Every structure is written in C-alpha cells, then in structure tokens.
Amino acid sequence: PNDFATQIKGALLNAFDLTFNARGIGWNWGKGISIPPSTDPRVRKGPLDFLVGYVTTQTFFDFVLFAQQSWDLSPSKYPTHRHGGTIFNPDLPPLLRYGKVFAMSFLCTLGLCTSFQATYYQVGFIAMTIFGQDAEQWPPLFQNPFFATSIADFWGTRWHQVFKRSFVVCGAKPAARFFGRAGGVLGAFLVSGIMHDFGVWGAGLGTELSSVTFFFLMMGVGCILEVIWRAKTGLKVQGPLGWLWTVVWIFFWTSWIVDAWARRGLIVSKMSADGARPALYWVKVAQRWVERHGQPLQ
C-alpha cells in the first residue's frame, strides 16, 4: 500500500505475527516445520470456535491439574521446595509405587498438552478478533501425540513444533557441522533441555541437568536408536510395536523430569487464582452435597 498509515498498520500486524507465530506459518523461514492437517478441512473455523476451544480446554486442563495435585508427594533427600516432594514413594509396594509414577507422569504430559492448547486458542482468538487474522494462520498445534508410533514421530510430527526452528538453528546445525547427523539430533535436544532447565531454575532451587536436560538428551538417543534399528534390520519403527516402544521409552524418562518438577514445587504451583479454578468450584459443590446428604468430607 502507498499511504503511510496503512504501512504503519501493516508493520504492526506483521510485528504481532512474528512475535506469536513461532512456527513461521505464512513466512519463508517456516517451510521445514511440520504442520498438522486440519481435522475437517470442510469446516471453516472462526474466532468463536477458538473462544469455545479456549474455555473448554482450559477447564479440562484445570481438572487434569487438580487430579495431578491430588497425589501425595513423598519427602525427598534431593533439593525440594517446601511444598514439593518426590513422586517415588518407597513405602508403597513396587506395583503401586510405579503405577503411581506412571499415572503422575501421564497426567503431567496430558496437562502440558491441554495447557499449551488452551493458550494457543486464547492467542488465536485475540489474533482473529483484534488483528484481523483468519483460522488458516492458526492450524492445529498437536497431532494426536499419544498415538505416536516412534520417538521421531512423536517429537518431529505429533508434538507441538513451536520451538523447532530455535532448536535446529541453535543446536542441530552447529552440532551436525562438527559431529555429524547424530550430533545434530543430540544438539537440538540439548538446546531444548537447557531451555526447560531454565524453567526449573525459575522455581528458585537451581537447575537439574541430570534430570531435565538429561531427559531431552535421552529423547535424542531414542531417535538415534531408531535410525540404527532401521539401518541394521531394514525395518522402520512403526505400528503397534512401535507405539509400545514409544510409550515405554518416553514415559520411563518422563518420570525423571516429572520428579524433578515435583520436588521443586512446579506440580503444586497455582496456574490461576483459586476463584477462577472450575475444578475447585466443583469440589466445593461436591463437599456441600456430602455435608447435606452424607458424612462431611475430612
């Protein structure tokens, strides 16, 4: 456009898009990032759909968070926030002990999915109502991550790709230059691990490279093992056995990072005010009903 006012408006809209459009959708630097297909391309979504999606997903996330926070955390010898503790309870028999670990790891993963998705809906709604964007600029964030049939499938396609460019530019490319393809894979996951360790550092008890960053490095190791398997056998990791392998590998190492988060109080932290938590509201409703019709809750 030739008029100066429109140029300013366009610059501001582009600045907003560059700030929040981490996958580079619509930009030349986002071509190598996997974008999940729309669930139904015949249905054109609008701002109202994103608003409804935000409310429902945020509500579901709060119930997942409440379920996660309902588990007891055990005292730990490692650095622990005053409200934190370990997810490994040595007093429980092995089956219950590791069943609890798996359940808490699953809830944490589900909580991450729903919280990311809720935020995505929220920002997308703002982008469409205030900045005039359309739904094509906000395609799905996840692609059924719990159905992944390999480690590479999970991290390269099904999990959100919001930070992929940063991990590739800052980790994969420089590492691959010196250590080859395998080094590039580990370099990308190393940068990812360090970024997530900063989140642990924000809790006030320092970082924990041996759990948080190590988790992401082991995800890179899993990807490399899949490449080696295919090279040795000629078979690609996929199908039901690939799904089982993915679940076992990811959730085994997930327990390490979830335990680090739990000990530092990240699991018991409040994501929103008590008055705005639908899960707590329904707990009060249930408690009121029990007090009227049965024994009071202790």
Side-chain angles (χ1 to χ4, degrees), residues 31 59 63 84 95 114 117 155 198 228 230 237 260 271 287:
K31 292 180 179 179
T59 302
F63 277 92
L95 187 61
T114 51
Q117 186 65 61
W155 292 109
F198 273 116
I228 296 174
R230 187 170 186 176
V237 178
M271 302 299 181
Q287 186 170 12

Side-chain angles (χ1 to χ4, degrees), residues 50-68 104-123 141-146 154 158-160 261 271-272 277-279:
F50 273 67
L51 179 60
V52 172
Y54 166 69
V55 174
T56 55
T57 309
Q58 180 67 23
T59 302
F60 181 64
F61 161 66
D62 191 58
F63 277 92
V64 173
L65 182 65
F66 177 80
Q68 183 176 312
M104 293 198 70
S105 299
F106 173 77
L107 286 172
C108 185
T109 306
L110 183 60
L112 289 172
C113 283
T114 51
S115 63
F116 292 160
Q117 186 65 61
T119 303
Y120 187 71
Y121 278 136
Q122 183 183 39
V123 178
L141 187 61
F142 292 95
Q143 188 177 345
N144 299 321
F146 294 102
F154 181 89
R158 295 184 177 273
W159 195 252
H160 76 79
W261 287 340
M271 302 299 181
S272 55
R277 294 193 62 181

